Amino acid sequence: MADFVLKRNPGFSFQIEGYPAEGAEKVFTIPAPAQLGFEDVERIRKMQETEDVRKHGAAVKSFLLSYCPDLAEAVVGEMEYMNIFNAYAAATSGANVGESSASQDS
């Protein structure tokens, strides 16, 4: 038995109602937090530190568009980016970041 087992979490998938057309909705996917690169982790950390709504919103939008460039066509208002990111954060907040339970006990 191994001392450490890396668990792979699925990405976060979502759709936007009516995009691109009724009956043909596109599925967007953002990687699970454990699959993010260090640059993205740094961007998320900076997002959490700022109280400036415009800077936070711009960072959220940039993060989402880096994984889902088609969102630029699908999103109607800037707050929709925030709604998507908040859903991503809520869905992945309890996700294991890849460590086995044995290594978390240390």
Side-chain angles (χ1 to χ4, degrees), residues 16 71-81:
I16 296 179
L71 276 178
E73 297 174 15
V75 171
V76 176
E78 291 181 329
M79 286 305 295
E80 288 185 351
Y81 289 106

Side-chain angles (χ1 to χ4, degrees), residues 19 28 61 65 68-76 81:
Y19 178 81
F28 297 94
K61 182 177 178 179
L65 289 176
C68 307
D70 291 348
L71 276 178
E73 297 174 15
V75 171
V76 176
Y81 289 106

